[in-house]
Short mmCIF file of all heavy atoms in Angstrom, two decimals:
data_model
loop_
_atom_site.label_atom_id
_atom_site.label_comp_id
_atom_site.label_asym_id
_atom_site.label_seq_id
_atom_site.Cartn_x
_atom_site.Cartn_y
_atom_site.Cartn_z
N MET A 293 -4.33 2.98 26.95
CA MET A 293 -3.70 1.89 27.53
C MET A 293 -3.01 1.01 26.51
O MET A 293 -1.91 0.62 26.71
CB MET A 293 -4.66 1.09 28.37
CG MET A 293 -4.04 -0.09 29.04
SD MET A 293 -5.14 -0.81 30.22
CE MET A 293 -4.12 -1.36 31.45
N PHE A 294 -3.63 0.79 25.35
CA PHE A 294 -3.04 0.04 24.35
C PHE A 294 -1.70 0.60 23.89
O PHE A 294 -0.69 -0.12 23.79
CB PHE A 294 -3.95 -0.04 23.10
CG PHE A 294 -3.24 -0.57 21.85
CD1 PHE A 294 -3.02 -1.91 21.62
CD2 PHE A 294 -2.72 0.32 20.89
CE1 PHE A 294 -2.32 -2.37 20.52
CE2 PHE A 294 -2.10 -0.13 19.78
CZ PHE A 294 -1.86 -1.46 19.56
N LEU A 295 -1.69 1.91 23.70
CA LEU A 295 -0.47 2.57 23.25
C LEU A 295 0.65 2.40 24.27
O LEU A 295 1.79 2.09 23.83
CB LEU A 295 -0.80 4.03 22.93
CG LEU A 295 0.35 4.80 22.27
CD1 LEU A 295 0.68 4.20 20.94
CD2 LEU A 295 -0.06 6.24 22.09
N THR A 296 0.42 2.52 25.55
CA THR A 296 1.43 2.34 26.57
C THR A 296 1.99 0.95 26.49
O THR A 296 3.21 0.78 26.55
CB THR A 296 0.85 2.64 27.99
OG1 THR A 296 0.37 3.99 27.97
CG2 THR A 296 1.92 2.47 29.02
N ILE A 297 1.14 -0.06 26.41
CA ILE A 297 1.62 -1.43 26.35
C ILE A 297 2.41 -1.64 25.04
O ILE A 297 3.51 -2.23 25.04
CB ILE A 297 0.41 -2.38 26.47
CG1 ILE A 297 -0.18 -2.32 27.83
CG2 ILE A 297 0.88 -3.82 26.09
CD1 ILE A 297 -1.55 -3.05 27.96
N ALA A 298 1.85 -1.23 23.90
CA ALA A 298 2.43 -1.39 22.63
C ALA A 298 3.83 -0.75 22.51
O ALA A 298 4.80 -1.35 22.02
CB ALA A 298 1.55 -1.00 21.49
N GLU A 299 3.90 0.49 22.97
CA GLU A 299 5.17 1.21 22.89
C GLU A 299 6.25 0.63 23.79
O GLU A 299 7.44 0.81 23.44
CB GLU A 299 4.93 2.68 23.30
CG GLU A 299 3.99 3.48 22.42
CD GLU A 299 4.65 3.86 21.13
OE1 GLU A 299 5.72 4.36 21.11
OE2 GLU A 299 3.93 3.62 20.05
N ASN A 300 5.93 -0.06 24.81
CA ASN A 300 6.93 -0.65 25.68
C ASN A 300 7.10 -2.19 25.59
O ASN A 300 7.88 -2.76 26.31
CB ASN A 300 6.60 -0.31 27.16
CG ASN A 300 6.75 1.20 27.39
OD1 ASN A 300 7.77 1.74 27.40
ND2 ASN A 300 5.54 1.88 27.49
N SER A 301 6.41 -2.76 24.63
CA SER A 301 6.47 -4.21 24.46
C SER A 301 7.76 -4.63 23.77
O SER A 301 8.24 -3.98 22.85
CB SER A 301 5.33 -4.62 23.60
OG SER A 301 5.44 -6.05 23.31
N PRO A 302 8.32 -5.74 24.24
CA PRO A 302 9.49 -6.31 23.52
C PRO A 302 9.08 -7.04 22.25
O PRO A 302 9.93 -7.46 21.50
CB PRO A 302 10.06 -7.28 24.55
CG PRO A 302 8.88 -7.73 25.35
CD PRO A 302 7.98 -6.51 25.42
N ASP A 303 7.79 -7.17 22.01
CA ASP A 303 7.25 -7.86 20.81
C ASP A 303 6.91 -6.86 19.70
O ASP A 303 6.61 -5.75 20.01
CB ASP A 303 6.00 -8.68 21.17
CG ASP A 303 6.22 -9.75 22.15
OD1 ASP A 303 7.27 -10.44 22.03
OD2 ASP A 303 5.39 -9.95 23.09
N VAL A 304 6.95 -7.31 18.51
CA VAL A 304 6.54 -6.53 17.35
C VAL A 304 5.03 -6.46 17.35
O VAL A 304 4.38 -7.51 17.39
CB VAL A 304 7.07 -7.12 16.04
CG1 VAL A 304 6.48 -6.47 14.87
CG2 VAL A 304 8.60 -7.02 15.96
N ILE A 305 4.47 -5.23 17.29
CA ILE A 305 3.07 -5.09 17.22
C ILE A 305 2.71 -4.17 16.04
O ILE A 305 3.29 -3.12 15.86
CB ILE A 305 2.52 -4.45 18.56
CG1 ILE A 305 2.82 -5.33 19.75
CG2 ILE A 305 1.05 -4.14 18.48
CD1 ILE A 305 2.50 -4.79 21.09
N VAL A 306 1.74 -4.66 15.25
CA VAL A 306 1.27 -3.94 14.09
C VAL A 306 -0.21 -3.95 14.02
O VAL A 306 -0.79 -4.95 14.31
CB VAL A 306 1.85 -4.64 12.79
CG1 VAL A 306 1.42 -3.85 11.56
CG2 VAL A 306 3.35 -4.81 12.83
N ARG A 307 -0.86 -2.83 13.71
CA ARG A 307 -2.26 -2.76 13.53
C ARG A 307 -2.50 -2.48 12.07
O ARG A 307 -1.84 -1.64 11.42
CB ARG A 307 -2.86 -1.63 14.40
CG ARG A 307 -2.85 -2.00 15.82
CD ARG A 307 -3.61 -0.99 16.70
NE ARG A 307 -5.02 -1.12 16.35
CZ ARG A 307 -5.92 -0.21 16.72
NH1 ARG A 307 -5.57 0.85 17.37
NH2 ARG A 307 -7.23 -0.36 16.33
N TYR A 308 -3.51 -3.19 11.51
CA TYR A 308 -3.86 -3.08 10.13
C TYR A 308 -5.29 -2.60 9.96
O TYR A 308 -6.15 -2.95 10.83
CB TYR A 308 -3.73 -4.41 9.44
CG TYR A 308 -2.33 -4.98 9.30
CD1 TYR A 308 -1.82 -5.81 10.31
CD2 TYR A 308 -1.49 -4.62 8.21
CE1 TYR A 308 -0.54 -6.34 10.16
CE2 TYR A 308 -0.22 -5.12 8.14
CZ TYR A 308 0.28 -6.00 9.12
OH TYR A 308 1.50 -6.46 9.00
N ASP A 309 -5.62 -2.00 8.86
CA ASP A 309 -7.05 -1.75 8.58
C ASP A 309 -7.55 -2.90 7.73
O ASP A 309 -6.87 -3.86 7.52
CB ASP A 309 -7.25 -0.40 7.88
CG ASP A 309 -6.71 -0.29 6.46
OD1 ASP A 309 -6.34 -1.33 5.84
OD2 ASP A 309 -6.60 0.75 5.95
N LEU A 310 -8.87 -2.83 7.32
CA LEU A 310 -9.45 -3.95 6.57
C LEU A 310 -8.84 -4.21 5.17
O LEU A 310 -9.09 -5.20 4.56
CB LEU A 310 -10.96 -3.75 6.48
CG LEU A 310 -11.67 -3.79 7.78
CD1 LEU A 310 -13.16 -3.48 7.61
CD2 LEU A 310 -11.50 -5.13 8.51
N ASN A 311 -8.04 -3.20 4.70
CA ASN A 311 -7.39 -3.35 3.42
C ASN A 311 -5.92 -3.72 3.57
O ASN A 311 -5.17 -3.61 2.63
CB ASN A 311 -7.54 -2.06 2.61
CG ASN A 311 -8.93 -1.79 2.20
OD1 ASN A 311 -9.64 -2.64 1.70
ND2 ASN A 311 -9.40 -0.59 2.47
N CYS A 312 -5.56 -4.14 4.77
CA CYS A 312 -4.21 -4.59 5.10
C CYS A 312 -3.18 -3.43 5.10
O CYS A 312 -1.99 -3.65 4.95
CB CYS A 312 -3.72 -5.71 4.23
SG CYS A 312 -4.78 -7.20 4.46
N ARG A 313 -3.66 -2.24 5.22
CA ARG A 313 -2.72 -1.09 5.29
C ARG A 313 -2.38 -0.97 6.80
O ARG A 313 -3.18 -0.98 7.67
CB ARG A 313 -3.34 0.18 4.80
CG ARG A 313 -3.65 0.07 3.30
CD ARG A 313 -3.88 1.42 2.64
NE ARG A 313 -4.16 1.25 1.26
CZ ARG A 313 -3.27 0.98 0.33
NH1 ARG A 313 -2.01 0.93 0.67
NH2 ARG A 313 -3.62 0.83 -0.91
N ARG A 314 -1.07 -0.71 7.03
CA ARG A 314 -0.62 -0.54 8.36
C ARG A 314 -1.11 0.74 9.00
O ARG A 314 -1.00 1.81 8.36
CB ARG A 314 0.88 -0.58 8.42
CG ARG A 314 1.48 -1.95 8.16
CD ARG A 314 2.97 -1.87 8.15
NE ARG A 314 3.56 -3.16 7.83
CZ ARG A 314 3.92 -3.49 6.61
NH1 ARG A 314 3.71 -2.72 5.59
NH2 ARG A 314 4.40 -4.71 6.40
N LEU A 315 -1.75 0.67 10.12
CA LEU A 315 -2.22 1.85 10.83
C LEU A 315 -1.21 2.29 11.92
O LEU A 315 -1.16 3.45 12.30
CB LEU A 315 -3.62 1.54 11.52
CG LEU A 315 -4.72 1.16 10.59
CD1 LEU A 315 -5.90 0.75 11.36
CD2 LEU A 315 -5.02 2.29 9.68
N TYR A 316 -0.50 1.27 12.42
CA TYR A 316 0.41 1.53 13.55
C TYR A 316 1.50 0.43 13.61
O TYR A 316 1.20 -0.71 13.30
CB TYR A 316 -0.33 1.49 14.94
CG TYR A 316 0.51 1.48 16.09
CD1 TYR A 316 1.04 2.61 16.59
CD2 TYR A 316 0.88 0.26 16.71
CE1 TYR A 316 1.93 2.60 17.75
CE2 TYR A 316 1.73 0.20 17.80
CZ TYR A 316 2.24 1.40 18.32
OH TYR A 316 3.09 1.31 19.41
N VAL A 317 2.66 0.79 13.90
CA VAL A 317 3.76 -0.14 14.25
C VAL A 317 4.44 0.39 15.48
O VAL A 317 4.62 1.60 15.65
CB VAL A 317 4.77 -0.38 13.08
CG1 VAL A 317 4.09 -0.96 11.84
CG2 VAL A 317 5.52 0.91 12.79
N ASN A 318 4.83 -0.57 16.36
CA ASN A 318 5.50 -0.07 17.60
C ASN A 318 6.95 0.07 17.38
O ASN A 318 7.51 -0.29 16.37
CB ASN A 318 5.17 -1.05 18.79
CG ASN A 318 5.86 -2.42 18.70
OD1 ASN A 318 6.25 -2.84 17.63
ND2 ASN A 318 5.88 -3.12 19.79
N PRO A 319 7.67 0.71 18.31
CA PRO A 319 9.11 0.86 18.22
C PRO A 319 9.92 -0.42 17.97
O PRO A 319 10.90 -0.38 17.25
CB PRO A 319 9.51 1.55 19.52
CG PRO A 319 8.25 2.25 19.97
CD PRO A 319 7.16 1.34 19.53
N GLN A 320 9.47 -1.53 18.57
CA GLN A 320 10.11 -2.81 18.37
C GLN A 320 10.06 -3.18 16.88
O GLN A 320 11.04 -3.73 16.36
CB GLN A 320 9.57 -3.87 19.30
CG GLN A 320 10.33 -5.19 19.19
CD GLN A 320 11.73 -5.11 19.76
OE1 GLN A 320 12.20 -4.04 20.16
NE2 GLN A 320 12.39 -6.20 19.79
N PHE A 321 8.99 -2.93 16.19
CA PHE A 321 8.90 -3.20 14.79
C PHE A 321 9.99 -2.48 14.02
O PHE A 321 10.65 -3.00 13.14
CB PHE A 321 7.51 -2.86 14.21
CG PHE A 321 7.38 -3.07 12.72
CD1 PHE A 321 6.84 -4.18 12.24
CD2 PHE A 321 7.83 -2.05 11.85
CE1 PHE A 321 6.70 -4.35 10.87
CE2 PHE A 321 7.76 -2.26 10.49
CZ PHE A 321 7.14 -3.38 9.98
N GLU A 322 10.08 -1.15 14.41
CA GLU A 322 11.13 -0.35 13.75
C GLU A 322 12.54 -0.88 14.00
O GLU A 322 13.36 -0.98 13.01
CB GLU A 322 11.02 1.11 14.25
CG GLU A 322 9.73 1.78 13.86
CD GLU A 322 9.61 3.18 14.40
OE1 GLU A 322 9.46 3.29 15.63
OE2 GLU A 322 9.77 4.11 13.62
N ARG A 323 12.79 -1.30 15.24
CA ARG A 323 14.18 -1.85 15.49
C ARG A 323 14.41 -3.17 14.83
O ARG A 323 15.44 -3.30 14.21
CB ARG A 323 14.29 -2.03 17.03
CG ARG A 323 14.52 -0.78 17.79
CD ARG A 323 14.91 -1.08 19.25
NE ARG A 323 13.76 -1.55 20.09
CZ ARG A 323 12.88 -0.73 20.59
NH1 ARG A 323 12.96 0.53 20.48
NH2 ARG A 323 11.91 -1.23 21.31
N VAL A 324 13.51 -4.05 14.80
CA VAL A 324 13.64 -5.38 14.17
C VAL A 324 13.80 -5.25 12.69
O VAL A 324 14.59 -5.97 12.09
CB VAL A 324 12.49 -6.32 14.59
CG1 VAL A 324 12.45 -7.58 13.70
CG2 VAL A 324 12.60 -6.69 16.02
N ASN A 325 12.99 -4.39 12.04
CA ASN A 325 12.96 -4.35 10.61
C ASN A 325 13.82 -3.21 10.01
O ASN A 325 14.01 -3.18 8.80
CB ASN A 325 11.48 -4.18 10.12
CG ASN A 325 10.68 -5.39 10.38
OD1 ASN A 325 10.85 -6.35 9.71
ND2 ASN A 325 9.82 -5.34 11.37
N GLY A 326 14.30 -2.34 10.88
CA GLY A 326 15.18 -1.23 10.38
C GLY A 326 14.38 -0.31 9.40
O GLY A 326 14.97 0.29 8.55
N ILE A 327 13.09 -0.17 9.66
CA ILE A 327 12.26 0.72 8.91
C ILE A 327 11.49 1.68 9.84
O ILE A 327 10.91 1.23 10.78
CB ILE A 327 11.22 -0.05 8.09
CG1 ILE A 327 11.89 -1.14 7.19
CG2 ILE A 327 10.33 0.84 7.24
CD1 ILE A 327 10.89 -2.12 6.56
N ALA A 328 11.54 2.99 9.54
CA ALA A 328 10.86 3.97 10.33
C ALA A 328 9.31 3.88 10.10
O ALA A 328 8.88 3.62 8.96
CB ALA A 328 11.31 5.35 9.97
N ALA A 329 8.58 4.03 11.14
CA ALA A 329 7.08 3.95 11.09
C ALA A 329 6.54 4.88 10.01
O ALA A 329 5.68 4.54 9.18
CB ALA A 329 6.44 4.29 12.44
N LYS A 330 7.17 6.09 9.89
CA LYS A 330 6.64 7.07 8.89
C LYS A 330 6.79 6.59 7.52
O LYS A 330 6.03 7.06 6.62
CB LYS A 330 7.38 8.36 9.11
CG LYS A 330 8.85 8.36 8.74
CD LYS A 330 9.50 9.78 8.92
CE LYS A 330 10.98 9.70 8.58
NZ LYS A 330 11.32 9.30 7.25
N ASP A 331 7.68 5.63 7.27
CA ASP A 331 7.88 5.12 5.90
C ASP A 331 6.95 3.99 5.55
O ASP A 331 6.93 3.59 4.34
CB ASP A 331 9.36 4.68 5.74
CG ASP A 331 10.32 5.81 5.90
OD1 ASP A 331 10.01 6.93 5.52
OD2 ASP A 331 11.49 5.55 6.33
N ILE A 332 6.25 3.40 6.51
CA ILE A 332 5.35 2.33 6.19
C ILE A 332 3.93 2.47 6.56
O ILE A 332 3.12 1.70 6.13
CB ILE A 332 5.91 1.00 6.74
CG1 ILE A 332 5.94 1.11 8.27
CG2 ILE A 332 7.26 0.64 6.23
CD1 ILE A 332 6.16 -0.26 8.91
N ILE A 333 3.60 3.45 7.41
CA ILE A 333 2.20 3.63 7.80
C ILE A 333 1.40 3.95 6.53
O ILE A 333 1.85 4.76 5.73
CB ILE A 333 2.02 4.80 8.84
CG1 ILE A 333 2.85 4.46 10.10
CG2 ILE A 333 0.63 5.10 9.07
CD1 ILE A 333 2.33 3.18 10.81
N GLY A 334 0.31 3.26 6.38
CA GLY A 334 -0.61 3.47 5.19
C GLY A 334 -0.24 2.57 4.06
O GLY A 334 -0.95 2.58 3.02
N LYS A 335 0.77 1.74 4.16
CA LYS A 335 1.15 0.84 3.14
C LYS A 335 0.86 -0.62 3.49
O LYS A 335 0.84 -0.97 4.65
CB LYS A 335 2.66 1.00 2.81
CG LYS A 335 3.01 2.38 2.26
CD LYS A 335 4.46 2.49 1.95
CE LYS A 335 4.72 3.93 1.41
NZ LYS A 335 6.12 4.21 1.31
N THR A 336 0.63 -1.46 2.49
CA THR A 336 0.38 -2.88 2.69
C THR A 336 1.72 -3.64 2.68
O THR A 336 2.71 -3.11 2.17
CB THR A 336 -0.55 -3.44 1.62
OG1 THR A 336 0.18 -3.44 0.38
CG2 THR A 336 -1.82 -2.69 1.50
N PRO A 337 1.69 -4.85 3.24
CA PRO A 337 2.96 -5.66 3.09
C PRO A 337 3.38 -5.83 1.68
O PRO A 337 4.55 -5.83 1.35
CB PRO A 337 2.58 -6.99 3.77
CG PRO A 337 1.49 -6.60 4.74
CD PRO A 337 0.72 -5.50 4.08
N LEU A 338 2.46 -6.00 0.75
CA LEU A 338 2.78 -6.20 -0.65
C LEU A 338 3.46 -4.96 -1.24
O LEU A 338 4.36 -5.11 -2.05
CB LEU A 338 1.53 -6.58 -1.41
CG LEU A 338 1.72 -7.16 -2.84
CD1 LEU A 338 2.63 -8.37 -2.79
CD2 LEU A 338 0.38 -7.51 -3.43
N GLU A 339 3.02 -3.80 -0.81
CA GLU A 339 3.58 -2.55 -1.41
C GLU A 339 5.11 -2.37 -1.02
O GLU A 339 5.85 -1.72 -1.66
CB GLU A 339 2.84 -1.35 -0.90
CG GLU A 339 1.45 -1.27 -1.57
CD GLU A 339 0.63 -0.13 -1.00
OE1 GLU A 339 0.62 0.12 0.24
OE2 GLU A 339 -0.10 0.48 -1.77
N LEU A 340 5.49 -3.01 0.10
CA LEU A 340 6.84 -2.84 0.59
C LEU A 340 7.72 -4.07 0.30
O LEU A 340 8.90 -4.06 0.47
CB LEU A 340 6.89 -2.65 2.12
CG LEU A 340 6.24 -1.27 2.55
CD1 LEU A 340 6.17 -1.27 4.07
CD2 LEU A 340 7.05 -0.18 2.01
N SER A 341 7.07 -5.06 -0.31
CA SER A 341 7.79 -6.33 -0.57
C SER A 341 8.28 -6.36 -2.01
O SER A 341 7.55 -5.97 -2.90
CB SER A 341 6.95 -7.47 -0.26
OG SER A 341 7.55 -8.70 -0.50
N THR A 342 9.44 -6.87 -2.21
CA THR A 342 9.94 -7.12 -3.59
C THR A 342 10.08 -8.58 -3.83
O THR A 342 9.22 -9.19 -4.37
CB THR A 342 11.23 -6.31 -3.83
OG1 THR A 342 12.19 -6.68 -2.85
CG2 THR A 342 11.00 -4.81 -3.81
N LYS A 343 11.19 -9.14 -3.36
CA LYS A 343 11.42 -10.57 -3.56
C LYS A 343 10.53 -11.43 -2.72
O LYS A 343 10.39 -12.63 -2.99
CB LYS A 343 12.91 -10.93 -3.30
CG LYS A 343 13.36 -10.69 -1.85
CD LYS A 343 14.81 -10.95 -1.79
CE LYS A 343 15.29 -10.59 -0.38
NZ LYS A 343 16.71 -10.75 -0.24
N LEU A 344 9.86 -10.86 -1.72
CA LEU A 344 8.94 -11.62 -0.87
C LEU A 344 7.53 -11.45 -1.27
O LEU A 344 6.63 -11.78 -0.49
CB LEU A 344 9.15 -11.25 0.61
CG LEU A 344 10.59 -11.48 1.21
CD1 LEU A 344 10.63 -11.00 2.63
CD2 LEU A 344 10.92 -12.95 1.12
N ALA A 345 7.25 -10.93 -2.43
CA ALA A 345 5.90 -10.70 -2.84
C ALA A 345 4.92 -11.83 -2.70
O ALA A 345 3.82 -11.62 -2.19
CB ALA A 345 5.85 -10.12 -4.26
N PRO A 346 5.30 -13.03 -3.11
CA PRO A 346 4.35 -14.18 -2.92
C PRO A 346 3.99 -14.36 -1.40
O PRO A 346 2.84 -14.68 -1.12
CB PRO A 346 5.09 -15.38 -3.49
CG PRO A 346 6.08 -14.78 -4.44
CD PRO A 346 6.49 -13.46 -3.85
N MET A 347 4.97 -14.26 -0.53
CA MET A 347 4.71 -14.43 0.86
C MET A 347 3.86 -13.28 1.40
O MET A 347 2.93 -13.56 2.18
CB MET A 347 6.00 -14.49 1.66
CG MET A 347 5.82 -14.81 3.11
SD MET A 347 7.24 -14.71 4.21
CE MET A 347 8.54 -15.25 3.22
N ALA A 348 4.07 -12.07 0.95
CA ALA A 348 3.32 -10.94 1.36
C ALA A 348 1.84 -11.06 0.93
O ALA A 348 0.91 -10.75 1.67
CB ALA A 348 3.94 -9.66 0.86
N ALA A 349 1.68 -11.52 -0.33
CA ALA A 349 0.28 -11.71 -0.83
C ALA A 349 -0.46 -12.72 0.01
O ALA A 349 -1.65 -12.55 0.30
CB ALA A 349 0.36 -12.08 -2.34
N ARG A 350 0.16 -13.83 0.27
CA ARG A 350 -0.44 -14.91 1.12
C ARG A 350 -0.74 -14.38 2.50
O ARG A 350 -1.84 -14.63 3.07
CB ARG A 350 0.48 -16.14 1.16
CG ARG A 350 -0.12 -17.28 1.93
CD ARG A 350 -1.28 -17.93 1.07
NE ARG A 350 -1.80 -19.07 1.83
CZ ARG A 350 -3.08 -19.24 2.11
NH1 ARG A 350 -3.97 -18.39 1.58
NH2 ARG A 350 -3.48 -20.21 2.81
N PHE A 351 0.16 -13.66 3.06
CA PHE A 351 -0.09 -13.08 4.45
C PHE A 351 -1.31 -12.12 4.40
O PHE A 351 -2.14 -12.26 5.29
CB PHE A 351 1.16 -12.27 4.86
CG PHE A 351 0.93 -11.47 6.14
CD1 PHE A 351 0.88 -12.11 7.36
CD2 PHE A 351 0.69 -10.10 6.08
CE1 PHE A 351 0.72 -11.37 8.53
CE2 PHE A 351 0.42 -9.39 7.27
CZ PHE A 351 0.46 -10.08 8.45
N MET A 352 -1.40 -11.31 3.35
CA MET A 352 -2.58 -10.42 3.24
C MET A 352 -3.87 -11.21 3.15
O MET A 352 -4.89 -10.82 3.70
CB MET A 352 -2.39 -9.44 2.13
CG MET A 352 -1.32 -8.37 2.38
SD MET A 352 -0.95 -7.31 0.99
CE MET A 352 -2.55 -6.62 0.67
N GLU A 353 -3.88 -12.34 2.36
CA GLU A 353 -5.02 -13.12 2.23
C GLU A 353 -5.48 -13.68 3.52
O GLU A 353 -6.66 -13.66 3.97
CB GLU A 353 -4.82 -14.32 1.29
CG GLU A 353 -4.64 -13.94 -0.15
CD GLU A 353 -4.26 -15.17 -0.97
OE1 GLU A 353 -4.33 -16.30 -0.53
OE2 GLU A 353 -3.71 -14.93 -2.11
N LYS A 354 -4.54 -14.16 4.41
CA LYS A 354 -4.80 -14.73 5.71
C LYS A 354 -5.27 -13.66 6.64
O LYS A 354 -6.17 -13.86 7.42
CB LYS A 354 -3.58 -15.47 6.21
CG LYS A 354 -3.32 -16.71 5.53
CD LYS A 354 -2.08 -17.43 6.10
CE LYS A 354 -1.91 -18.78 5.54
NZ LYS A 354 -1.01 -19.55 6.31
N LEU A 355 -4.63 -12.53 6.60
CA LEU A 355 -5.05 -11.39 7.46
C LEU A 355 -6.46 -10.95 7.20
O LEU A 355 -7.28 -10.75 8.08
CB LEU A 355 -4.06 -10.20 7.26
CG LEU A 355 -4.24 -8.97 8.14
CD1 LEU A 355 -4.20 -9.33 9.61
CD2 LEU A 355 -3.24 -7.92 7.76
N LYS A 356 -6.84 -10.78 5.92
CA LYS A 356 -8.21 -10.40 5.56
C LYS A 356 -9.22 -11.43 6.02
O LYS A 356 -10.27 -11.09 6.54
CB LYS A 356 -8.29 -10.18 4.06
CG LYS A 356 -7.69 -8.87 3.59
CD LYS A 356 -7.84 -8.73 2.09
CE LYS A 356 -7.23 -7.42 1.64
NZ LYS A 356 -7.39 -7.19 0.19
N ALA A 357 -8.83 -12.72 5.87
CA ALA A 357 -9.79 -13.78 6.30
C ALA A 357 -9.99 -13.74 7.79
O ALA A 357 -11.10 -13.86 8.35
CB ALA A 357 -9.28 -15.15 5.84
N ALA A 358 -8.87 -13.54 8.53
CA ALA A 358 -9.03 -13.51 10.00
C ALA A 358 -9.76 -12.31 10.43
O ALA A 358 -10.58 -12.41 11.42
CB ALA A 358 -7.55 -13.45 10.63
N MET A 359 -9.61 -11.14 9.78
CA MET A 359 -10.42 -9.99 10.16
C MET A 359 -11.88 -10.16 9.79
O MET A 359 -12.74 -9.63 10.55
CB MET A 359 -9.85 -8.73 9.51
CG MET A 359 -8.55 -8.26 10.14
SD MET A 359 -8.01 -6.61 9.55
CE MET A 359 -7.32 -6.99 7.95
N LYS A 360 -12.17 -10.82 8.77
CA LYS A 360 -13.52 -11.07 8.34
C LYS A 360 -14.27 -11.97 9.34
O LYS A 360 -15.42 -11.63 9.70
CB LYS A 360 -13.58 -11.71 6.95
CG LYS A 360 -14.97 -11.92 6.39
CD LYS A 360 -14.94 -12.53 5.05
CE LYS A 360 -16.38 -12.79 4.55
NZ LYS A 360 -16.39 -13.52 3.27
N ASP A 361 -13.68 -13.06 9.73
CA ASP A 361 -14.44 -14.04 10.57
C ASP A 361 -13.96 -14.11 12.00
O ASP A 361 -14.44 -14.92 12.78
CB ASP A 361 -14.56 -15.40 9.92
CG ASP A 361 -13.26 -16.04 9.69
OD1 ASP A 361 -12.30 -15.74 10.38
OD2 ASP A 361 -13.17 -16.91 8.85
N GLY A 362 -12.88 -13.41 12.31
CA GLY A 362 -12.29 -13.41 13.67
C GLY A 362 -11.50 -14.67 14.02
O GLY A 362 -11.08 -14.83 15.19
N ASP A 363 -11.26 -15.51 13.05
CA ASP A 363 -10.49 -16.75 13.35
C ASP A 363 -9.06 -16.57 13.14
O ASP A 363 -8.56 -16.64 12.01
CB ASP A 363 -11.03 -17.88 12.44
CG ASP A 363 -10.42 -19.25 12.71
OD1 ASP A 363 -9.59 -19.31 13.68
OD2 ASP A 363 -10.74 -20.16 12.01
N THR A 364 -8.30 -16.32 14.22
CA THR A 364 -6.87 -16.10 14.10
C THR A 364 -6.08 -17.35 13.94
O THR A 364 -4.84 -17.31 13.74
CB THR A 364 -6.37 -15.28 15.28
OG1 THR A 364 -6.61 -15.99 16.51
CG2 THR A 364 -7.00 -13.90 15.31
N ALA A 365 -6.75 -18.48 14.03
CA ALA A 365 -6.00 -19.78 13.86
C ALA A 365 -5.57 -19.93 12.45
O ALA A 365 -4.76 -20.83 12.20
CB ALA A 365 -6.88 -20.91 14.31
N LYS A 366 -6.01 -19.12 11.53
CA LYS A 366 -5.62 -19.26 10.15
C LYS A 366 -4.20 -18.88 9.90
O LYS A 366 -3.61 -19.20 8.88
CB LYS A 366 -6.55 -18.37 9.29
CG LYS A 366 -7.89 -18.82 9.21
CD LYS A 366 -8.74 -17.96 8.30
CE LYS A 366 -10.02 -18.63 7.98
NZ LYS A 366 -11.20 -18.20 8.57
N PHE A 367 -3.56 -18.23 10.89
CA PHE A 367 -2.16 -17.89 10.70
C PHE A 367 -1.37 -19.06 11.15
O PHE A 367 -0.32 -19.27 11.05
CB PHE A 367 -1.81 -16.63 11.59
CG PHE A 367 -2.27 -15.36 10.98
CD1 PHE A 367 -3.50 -14.85 11.18
CD2 PHE A 367 -1.47 -14.75 10.04
CE1 PHE A 367 -3.94 -13.66 10.60
CE2 PHE A 367 -1.85 -13.57 9.41
CZ PHE A 367 -3.06 -13.00 9.73
#
């Protein structure tokens, strides 16, 4: 069911593991970012970021904190 919803969603949907590596991106992510899923699955935001590295590092910190305690208000 998740896959059906995610694949047809107009929103960008990304799933991460506990190390902030992308496990899944939906087709909307690919359209918005112009990056094929096969090119980013298994990579962290920091690994793909160049000039945005400080922002990517902060995002990963917040993502890890949210996964640790379940508090998504940190974003």
